[in-house]
Each structure stands twice: as C-alpha cells, then as structure tokens.
C-alpha cells in the first residue's frame, strides 16, 4: 500500500451526524503502520499541491505548517494536523468522557489522525455550510438558503475547514487505484468541519436573508438599551457593521481557532485593498462586528439544599460552547441574551442549563486584543 | 403538481411526512405551516393525520405504507398505534411489526403493487409486507446502497432514484417495478431522494431547496403535470399506431 494511501475512509454515516455529534469514528490503520509513513506522506503530498509552494513539515506532532504570509494565493491553505494527545499504546482500555464507543470497537479507543485544511468557500460546499447554519437562528422559517448562498459567493473573505485531501483533483492522486475514489470525492465535499465568514450588513442589506436576520434580532431583543444600540447598528450604521459568522462541529480542535480567526481578519484587511471597486473595498472597512451565538445559562436551582454541595459550587453560571465567545463577550460594547424556543439537547450533564442565544457587538479596535487573548487561551 | 415546502427550516420533507394514495401522515412540528401545506393540497381527497412514532418526529423514515396498509416499527407506542388506527380509513390495515431494522422507511420503498426492500430484512417482515401492504416484494440495492427506502421514491406512475444508479440498474429496476424510472436529485443535489420529497399518484411535496430543473424532472417522471389533453392523446396515439402496424 503506497504511503500516500493512509487516509482513513470515512463511513457514509458520518455525513449524517448532527453538529452535536460527540465523536468521530474512523477506521484507523493499525498503530504500528501509522507512524513511519507520515513523513513520506508529507513528501508525497507536496508534488500534488501544484501551485501551493509552501513546504509541509513532516507532521509528527507539528501543529501547523506556516501559511505563506505575503503571497496572495487563490486558495489560502493553512493546515494543521490534529492528533489525539494520548499515545496509541495508552489508548487501549482508556475511556474518555465522550468515547461511548459506538461503532466497531467498544473497549479500544483508536487514535484519530486528521489533517484539516482551510479553503475558500465554493458553491459545492452548499450542503455542508447549510448543515452548520441550520441552528443559526431559531426554528422559525427564514431564508437560510439565501444566507448560505451569499456566504459561498463571497470567496475573498471567508474560510471553510475540511479534511486536507478533499479538494485535490483525483487525477493527480497517486496509486490509490480505489474504485470508490470518485464516490469518496463527491461525499467528502459535504464534510465541512467549520466555517467562518463576515458579511457586511450594508453590502447585503437588500437580501431577504439579512432582512430576516435583522427582523429576528429586533424581535427577540428584550433589553431596551441594547435594542436601541442594535437598531442603530442594523439601520444607521449598517454599512460599517460586519456580521461575524463562525460555526463548527463541537469536536473541532481548538488549536485551529487562532489560525481560523487570523485567516478571517487578515482577509478582511486584504480585501480593503484588493477588491476591484472602491465600493467593495469600503464595504470591508468594518467599525463594528455583530455576533449571534449560543450559550448555556444555569437554570435557577430549584432544590438548593438537597443537592450535594459540590454540585452547586462547581456549576458555572454560564457555559460557552465556543470558547472564543467568552472573550468576545468580555470585550463586547454591548450584548443581550434571548431564550431559544427549539428543542434543547437532553444530555445528563447539561440538564441544569438552558440554551440561550447571545447577541453581542464588538468594536473593530478590540479585535487585536481578542486575537491575543485567544492565542493565550489556546496555548494554556 | 409538485409543491415546495419546509419543515422548520429543514428541507428534508420526506423525513417528517409519509404520503400515500389513501392517507397522509405529518409530524407534529413547531409551526403549523407544514401541516397547512398538506391540508391545502390534500384535505378534500384524503385524511391528513398528525402523529409521532416512538415519540419522534421522523415519521417518514420509520414507517412504510400504501393504500392498503401501514407498517410501524416496534418503537411505536400503544397510544400512537391506537391514534393511527382511529384516524386512518378502515380499509387501511395498521400493523406494528417486530423488526430489528426499525427504520422501516429507510429499508423499504413501495407503491400499491411492488415493494423494494433492504437485503437483510427478516423473512417474517417480508411476509408482513406482502400481506399487509398487498405487494410483491423484491430484495434489491440501489446504486450499491442497501437502504433502498432512502435512495428512491416511487409511486404507481413513476420513480426517482439515486443519481449514481447505472443504466443497467435503472432498466432492471424499471422492469421489476413496471414504472418509468429516472436517476436524479432533489433539494439542490441531495442524493437522499426519499428524505427530500414525498409523492403519491397525483401530487408531490419537495424540499424548498429543490431547483426548478429538479422539480420539472419530478413532475415529468411522476406524471404530475395537470393532464394536458395533448399529453394523453400522444400516449394514445402511440398505442393506436402500434395496433395498426
């Protein structure tokens, strides 16, 4: 088996897992076979890259290959290999908190090797992006399709995260000889792990999806002061407001986050110079960013005494499913929360919490601070 | 006529509904829009029944039925079973079966005469299908997929199958089912046909992401366009000429 052919084949059920899927199940190659081919695989991949001239380091424990900072390539690629922290030898018999062993092996947890890469949004990403955005607003019908379309159309600013091999032309794929390769290509296009983009509320003001979002946010805002601020951002100052959309699967590796946000903010600043018309350039000069995210708020504990003391003390008042939301919330100029009507996830550890929506606005000047804090948080 | 609808921002309408020539089942959803869409089209012809199966909303994938009967998985509760027996017409036999593969809608596709089933279905279940639904049963795969109920949707007049189905497979299936088949997609390129749409002999409901091209393919293969006289005459003309020659 050629060293380049070590990529695990995703089972077809993977595409159907909800964003709240707890584990990725891969049929990994045997532990011993995995280590040696890695450097070869890295070398084998380089000639396939074509226009991509940045070197891929032998990715044993490497966190990332540095993206070319000055070239404006069509496809910005940063890749990072995410490995399970455990050694493969130790994984036997260990039970992780979310390793409920569904699928083939229940006692043995296998290490998962995954190469993530960043790509520009393409029209073929439609279904993957739609899946990620399904719970963006509440269950009330809105123009989600239109929203996905404008995100995919904006190729200059915006990144989708997929597995590293996905976009490669299979003609160049050496020696795979896999009859199923074609099928794999079309299936993998839907396996989006994450998405980040920012949409100018001024540029897209006439689109139905943006109007739906504005209407929705104004309708759920209960706080009078926040509503005033919200209205001014949505109406008067819309041309300098960017709606920052970041959606990803729950098990997305947090090490990639600084890179993801760096990619976005770098693209925004490049766009202010590179866009073909002045109007478009100005549309990316954001003074404010608006975020619509979810958070978990602790329900008022009904039985305060009967629970053991440690439960109450350890419960955080607020849990942020996406860790950077906590930083954003700290740095926000204003924010408000609103209740979510759609079905709550019924998990044991989360039963004391209810899901709320959180809307916050950040000044563009606070972004460098955010980037530093995110980097610090992730490297802890 | 084919209508585009959504279930709470979800275009997989075949998951939340089950449409046959004698009745229509609809999931209980947050907003009434879904139910009203079905009511508007079907109310004067067949009963539209709101239900859950096993407490879930994915009723289209859990049950299978036609004008003769309805098969429910073992996860159906007694109340749900009773509710369905009460609400459906008397000639429809409602039966709960004990099958390991409990997502019957994913494993079985049928019209009023023929059924295609998952190759691993129990023999007992196959007998139930033949008795309750009054159909001839064939174990088949579609484009290499064993979940035949998910990757094809067919009525008594036509059928739509997974886009990667080969010509040979299409011919073979078409002979088995005795209806014209076409390989296509629904909901803007989704291959899971039966999840994206639901159909009976005179109407179809598709997810709102379905493109105009997909919709026209659906309308033509299921013969849903308002019977234009010319279409009928063309069909007759072919048979007339045949008998002449």
């Amino acid at each position: 088996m050629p060293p380049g052919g070590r990529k695990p084949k995703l089972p077809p059920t993977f595409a159907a897992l909800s964003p709240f899927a707890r584990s990725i199940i891969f049929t990994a190659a045997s532990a011993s076979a995995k280590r040696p081919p890695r450097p070869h695989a890295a070398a084998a991949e380089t000639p396939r890259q074509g226009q991509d001239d940045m070197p891929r380091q032998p990715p044993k424990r490497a966190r990332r290959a540095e993206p070319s900072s000055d070239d404006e390539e069509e496809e910005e690629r940063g890749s990072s290999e995410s490995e399970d922290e455990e050694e493969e030898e130790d994984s036997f018999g260990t039970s992780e908190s979310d390793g409920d062993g569904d699928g083939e092996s229940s006692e043995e947890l296998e290490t998962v090797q995954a190469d993530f890469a960043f790509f520009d949004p393409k029209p073929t990403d439609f279904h993957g992006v739609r899946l990620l955005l399904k719970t963006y607003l509440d269950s009330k019908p809105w123009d989600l399709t239109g929203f996905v379309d404008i995100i995919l159309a904006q190729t200059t600013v915006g990144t989708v995260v997929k597995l590293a091999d996905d976009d490669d032309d299979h003609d160049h794929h050496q020696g795979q000889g896999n009859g199923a390769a074609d099928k794999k290509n079309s299936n993998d296009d839907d396996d989006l792990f994450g998405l980040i983009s920012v949409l100018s509320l001024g540029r897209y003001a006439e689109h139905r999806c943006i109007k739906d979002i504005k209407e929705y946010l104004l309708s759920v805002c209960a706080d009078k002061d926040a509503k005033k601020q919200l209205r001014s951002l949505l109406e008067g100052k819309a041309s300098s407001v960017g709606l920052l959309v970041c959606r990803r699967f729950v098990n997305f590796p947090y090490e990639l986050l600084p890179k993801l946000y760096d990619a976005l903010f770098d693209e925004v600043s490049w766009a202010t110079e590179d866009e073909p018309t002045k109007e478009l350039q100005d549309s990316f000069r954001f003074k404010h960013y608006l975020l619509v995210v979810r958070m978990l708020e602790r329900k008022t504990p009904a039985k305060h005494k009967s629970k053991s003391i440690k439960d109450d003390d350890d419960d955080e008042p607020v849990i942020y499913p996406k860790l950077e939301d906590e930083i954003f919330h700290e740095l926000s100029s204003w924010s408000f929360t609103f209740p979510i009507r759609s079905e709550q996830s019924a998990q044991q550890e989360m039963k004391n919490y209810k899901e709320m929506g959180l809307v916050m606005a950040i000044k563009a000047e606070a972004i460098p601070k955010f980037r530093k804090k995110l980097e610090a948080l992730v490297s802890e | 006529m084919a209508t585009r609808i959504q279930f709470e921002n979800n275009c997989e309408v075949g998951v939340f509904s089950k449409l046959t020539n004698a009745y229509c089942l609809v999931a209980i959803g947050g907003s009434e829009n879904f139910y009203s869409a079905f009511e508007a089209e079907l109310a004067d012809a067949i009963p539209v029944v709101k239900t859950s199966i096993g407490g879930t909303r994915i009723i289209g994938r859990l049950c299978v039925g036609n004008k003769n009967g309805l098969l429910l998985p073992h996860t159906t509760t007694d109340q749900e079973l009773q509710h369905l027996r009460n609400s459906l017409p008397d000639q429809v036999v409602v039966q709960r079966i004990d099958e390991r593969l409990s997502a019957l809608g994913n494993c079985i596709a049928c019209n009023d005469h023929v059924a295609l089933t998952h190759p691993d279905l129990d023999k007992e279940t196959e007998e139930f299908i033949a008795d309750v639904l009054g159909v001839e049963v064939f174990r088949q795969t579609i484009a290499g997929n064993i979940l035949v109920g998910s990757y094809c949707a067919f009525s008594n007049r036509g059928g739509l199958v997974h886009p990667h189905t080969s010509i040979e497979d299409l011919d073979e299936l078409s002979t088995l089912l005795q209806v014209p088949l076409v390989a296509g997609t629904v909901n803007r390129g989704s291959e899971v046909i039966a999840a994206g749409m639901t159909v009976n002999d005179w109407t179809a409901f598709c997810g709102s992401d379905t493109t105009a091209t997909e919709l026209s393919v659906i309308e033509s293969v299921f013969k849903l366009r308002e019977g234009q006289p010319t279409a009928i005459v063309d069909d007759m003309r072919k048979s007339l000429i045949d008998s002449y020659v």
Side-chain angles (χ1 to χ4, degrees):
Chain A
M1 190 185 189
R6 83 292 175 273
K7 178 180 171 181
K9 185 152 172 10
L10 293 180
T13 50
F14 181 83
L17 285 178
S18 77
F20 295 102
R22 289 286 167 216
S23 52
I24 303 177
I25 304 154
F26 282 64
T27 49
S30 66
S32 52
K34 224 183 280 174
R35 286 292 166 90
R38 287 306 289 137
H40 298 292
E45 284 175 80
T46 320
R48 276 200 288 123
Q49 294 323 312
Q51 63 182 86
D52 187 349
D53 37 339
M54 57 170 179
R56 291 245 196 166
Q57 297 158 353
K60 280 275 179 66
R61 290 274 175 189
R63 285 293 157 195
R64 54 183 166 93
E66 46 285 342
S68 56
S69 49
D70 36 4
D71 299 303
E72 264 113 50
E73 292 178 352
E74 284 173 47
E75 264 180 76
E76 184 183 61
R77 304 182 67 131
S79 84
S80 118
E81 181 181 330
S82 170
E83 282 179 43
D84 225 291
E85 289 305 312
E86 295 167 49
E87 294 292 342
E88 284 145 78
E89 304 85 72
D90 290 348
S91 66
F92 186 86
T94 321
S95 58
E96 292 177 300
S97 59
D98 52 357
D100 37 8
D102 35 18
E104 33 273 22
S105 55
S106 24
E107 305 92 24
E108 193 181 308
L109 289 165
E110 317 213 29
T111 306
V112 167
Q113 294 257 32
D115 282 339
F116 293 93
F118 296 174
F119 298 95
D120 287 339
K122 290 197 328 276
T124 48
D125 296 329
F126 178 81
H127 289 287
V129 172
R130 191 178 198 284
L131 184 68
L132 286 172
L133 287 169
K134 224 175 241 203
T135 51
Y136 189 58
L137 300 184
D138 210 343
S139 51
K140 187 170 152 227
W142 65 289
D143 187 19
L144 173 59
T145 305
F147 192 55
V148 175
D149 284 337
I150 57 179
I151 289 179
L152 295 178
Q154 193 178 272
T155 50
T156 48
V157 171
T159 301
V160 295
V161 184
K162 296 197 271 210
L163 292 178
D165 288 337
D166 280 350
D167 261 10
D168 292 334
D169 196 346
H170 269 255
D171 293 338
H172 301 325
H173 211 290
Q174 304 136 332
Q176 265 299 48
N178 211 344
D182 286 12
K183 283 240 187 89
K184 181 163 74 104
N185 198 14
S186 59
N187 286 338
D188 284 335
D189 280 340
D190 285 349
D191 288 345
L192 242 66
F193 285 80
L195 156 79
I196 193 168
S197 187
V198 64
L199 302 172
S200 160
L201 291 185
R203 178 177 174 188
Y204 298 108
E206 293 309 306
H207 283 76
R208 217 189 104 208
C209 51
I210 297 295
K211 288 187 183 159
D212 283 344
I213 293 176
K214 288 182 180 176
E215 207 179 292
Y216 175 77
L217 293 179
L218 287 168
S219 69
V220 290
C221 183
D223 186 343
K224 277 219 307 271
D225 293 321
K227 199 164 188 171
K228 234 188 314 185
Q229 307 249 33
L230 179 66
R231 203 181 284 278
S232 86
L233 277 193
L234 294 180
E235 285 159 20
K237 303 192 204 144
S239 48
S240 60
V241 177
L243 182 68
L244 205 159
V245 179
C246 179
R247 307 284 292 180
R248 52 188 195 263
F249 283 171
V250 183
N251 46 13
F252 190 84
Y254 59 84
E255 298 91 335
L256 290 178
L257 287 180
K259 290 260 136 302
L260 195 63
Y261 277 95
D262 283 348
L264 181 76
F265 293 119
D266 287 345
E267 283 186 317
V268 168
S269 64
W270 295 338
T272 58
E273 291 151 29
D274 298 334
E275 286 286 346
T277 71
K278 180 155 194 325
E279 198 187 331
L280 284 177
Q281 287 177 9
D282 289 341
S283 74
F284 286 106
R285 291 185 214 282
F286 298 120
K287 298 218 185 70
H288 305 269
Y289 289 97
L290 189 63
L291 281 91
V292 182
V293 298
R294 296 285 173 96
M295 63 173 218
L296 296 159
E297 205 173 77
R298 186 173 57 193
K299 298 184 196 160
T300 358
K303 303 178 271 198
H304 193 77
K305 296 271 168 56
S306 52
K307 283 190 153 210
S308 64
I309 299 176
K310 76 164 169 65
D311 277 29
D312 278 358
D313 285 339
D314 285 353
D315 274 356
E316 300 267 327
V318 173
I319 292 182
Y320 299 89
K322 284 156 60 205
L323 52 92
E324 73 273 18
D325 289 345
E326 189 167 6
I327 309 176
F328 274 129
H329 202 182
E330 270 174 49
L331 299 172
S332 62
S333 4
W334 56 264
S335 65
F336 68 88
T337 60
F338 59 93
I340 297 287
R341 268 194 308 267
S342 55
E343 289 183 1
Q344 314 278 340
S345 59
Q347 288 168 283
Q348 184 51 31
E349 58 270 24
M350 292 298 154
K351 66 177 163 59
N352 290 331
Y353 292 85
K354 65 177 190 304
E355 202 178 8
M356 305 277 284
L358 170 64
V359 179
M360 40 193 177
I362 316 242
K363 290 205 173 64
E365 295 94 54
I367 293 299
K369 222 188 206 175
F370 162 77
R371 286 164 87 162
K372 278 205 201 68
K373 283 197 162 185
L374 181 64
E375 187 74 54
L377 186 63
V378 163
S379 46
E380 259 171 41
Chain B
M1 278 314 300
T3 324
R4 286 194 190 104
I5 54 174
Q6 286 198 83
F7 180 83
E8 284 185 6
N9 278 323
N10 197 322
C11 292
E12 312 290 341
V13 298
V15 172
F16 300 102
S17 64
K18 176 63 75 177
L19 178 61
T20 69
N21 289 325
Y23 55 88
C24 176
L25 304 180
V26 172
I28 301 167
S31 74
E32 285 295 300
N33 293 346
F34 193 65
Y35 179 70
S36 319
F38 281 94
E39 275 270 274
E41 275 287 321
L42 304 167
D44 29 355
I46 56 178
V48 182
V49 180
K50 273 206 231 182
T51 183
S52 61
I53 293 183
T56 70
R57 303 187 298 180
I58 50 170
I59 60 174
R61 306 332 308 151
L62 292 180
C63 69
V64 63
N66 60 14
K67 71 170 171 27
N68 303 319
L70 175 67
L71 290 175
L72 299 167
H74 61 86
T75 51
T76 316
T77 67
D78 294 332
Q79 293 97 313
E80 290 162 349
L81 184 59
Q82 201 51 47
H83 168 62
L84 283 166
R85 285 214 169 110
N86 294 342
S87 321
L88 295 183
D90 292 331
Q91 66 268 27
V92 177
V93 179
V94 180
Q95 179 76 39
R96 180 169 58 187
I97 61 177
D98 219 352
E99 163 60 58
R100 182 183 61 94
L101 301 171
S102 56
L104 299 175
N106 283 339
C107 298
I108 306 161
C110 73
N111 62 9
D112 294 334
H113 310 289
V114 187
L116 296 180
T117 69
H118 190 292
D120 298 336
L121 222 58
D122 285 346
K123 207 75 187 75
E124 203 188 325
T125 308
E126 202 180 307
E127 285 163 16
F128 266 119
I129 300 173
D131 290 336
V132 173
L133 302 183
V135 294
E136 208 179 334
V137 180
F138 297 104
R139 288 170 189 259
Q140 271 291 335
T141 61
I142 295 194
N145 282 304
I146 49 180
L147 293 177
V148 291
S150 306
Y151 290 103
C152 77
F154 61 97
S155 70
N156 296 326
R157 313 184 70 193
L160 184 65
V161 299
H162 189 290
H164 293 154
T165 313
S166 62
I167 308 280
E168 300 82 37
D169 281 354
L170 264 182
D171 284 338
E172 189 190 331
L173 286 169
S174 189
T175 322
L176 276 180
L177 303 176
Q178 292 294 303
V179 294
L181 293 181
V182 93
T185 63
V186 76
N187 276 338
R188 206 159 151 168
S190 168
E191 304 167 335
V192 194
I193 308 295
M197 62 172 287
T198 184
V199 62
N200 70 5
D201 284 350
W202 69 87
T203 188
F205 296 90
C206 308
S208 55
D209 277 347
T210 310
T211 62
T213 320
E214 290 167 340
L215 211 64
S216 75
V217 167
I218 287 169
E219 283 183 349
S220 83
V221 78
F222 289 106
K223 303 195 179 57
L224 300 174
R225 296 213 176 94
E226 301 304 344
Q228 288 121 357
T230 49
I232 300 171
V233 169
D234 279 335
D235 278 330
M236 280 181 64
R237 180 173 296 131
K238 282 190 212 126
S239 58
L240 287 173
I241 291 172
D242 271 351
S243 62
Y244 253 64
V245 172

